[in-house]
Amino acid sequence: MGLQGICIDTGNSTNLQNGNKYYLFPHGSQAFHASRFQREGSHFGTYQKERFKIIEEQEEWPSEPIKPSNLPILQSGTVYKAELVWRKQGYADSMPLGTYFLAAIDNCYACATDCYFYLDAALTKPKGRFPLHWFKNIQEHDEKAAMIMELPRSEWQQMNLFGV
């Protein structure tokens, strides 16, 4: 995987930020090339080793789910609710696992294998496009079932929490 470290001293650098995690590549015995990506060629500078606290090797990133031969076909104009169960390691900090809303786009060649996903059922907060097999429990979103119904005021009852 490579070496990673957290910046503990920016010095006079405007590229480094205290507390941020960087990929580090040895450069001689006293310095590292620092990169935001897991590729040495994309480094943005060379810094003394003491500017970083090395992060111990973390457990291996889980492998991508196997793409099934019969992916669900999303119907255009329908909103789906699904759980994101995997994403590439580079998306880990910005894209947490959890429930999202999916939609297909008319005449999109990738709709058979990919989907657009959003934070809200109204599809106003887009997050991106991921392969369908990264999602599980894909179901049509029923907005009426998702709404919380409140009883009319005349049917409210006082609860006694203390049993007195």
Side-chain angles (χ1 to χ4, degrees):
M1 178 175 146
L3 200 56
Q4 286 187 322
I6 296 177
C7 178
I8 56 174
D9 177 17
T10 61
N12 293 328
S13 173
T14 57
N15 287 329
L16 294 175
Q17 291 184 358
N18 277 328
N20 279 11
K21 188 179 356 176
Y22 299 100
Y23 291 97
L24 303 173
F25 303 94
H27 182 72
S29 62
Q30 300 297 314
F32 289 122
H33 287 305
S35 175
R36 290 178 186 87
F37 306 101
Q38 195 174 352
R39 183 176 163 273
E40 185 174 6
S42 65
H43 76 88
F44 57 81
T46 306
Y47 304 94
Q48 297 88 357
K49 287 185 174 183
E50 56 268 8
R51 292 182 188 245
F52 301 95
K53 177 184 173 196
I54 303 301
I55 300 172
E56 296 298 321
E57 283 280 332
Q58 297 176 353
E59 60 186 65
E60 193 69 26
W61 191 256
S63 59
E64 183 174 357
I66 297 171
K67 185 176 180 179
S69 58
N70 58 345
L71 286 170
I73 297 174
L74 302 184
Q75 299 300 315
S76 182
T78 303
V79 177
Y80 298 86
K81 189 175 185 178
E83 292 178 47
L84 179 63
V85 295
W86 190 88
R87 74 275 193 237
K88 289 185 179 178
Q89 190 170 6
Y91 296 117
D93 294 333
S94 63
M95 195 60 52
L97 299 178
T99 303
Y100 293 95
F101 297 92
L102 312 181
I105 304 298
D106 282 332
N107 303 321
C108 177
Y109 72 93
C111 285
T113 59
D114 294 359
C115 62
Y116 293 91
F117 66 106
Y118 303 80
L119 286 177
D120 63 328
L123 309 179
T124 60
K125 299 177 182 172
K127 292 305 285 181
R129 186 176 107 189
F130 279 170
L132 273 172
H133 68 280
W134 292 5
F135 293 91
K136 295 289 184 225
N137 302 325
I138 300 173
Q139 299 174 357
E140 276 191 44
H141 175 65
D142 183 4
E143 194 163 330
K144 290 178 183 174
M147 290 178 18
I148 298 174
M149 302 300 289
E150 184 175 309
L151 291 173
R153 189 180 276 285
S154 62
E155 295 181 31
W156 287 7
Q157 293 180 357
Q158 179 66 39
M159 293 180 61
N160 185 348
L161 299 176
F162 303 103
V164 178

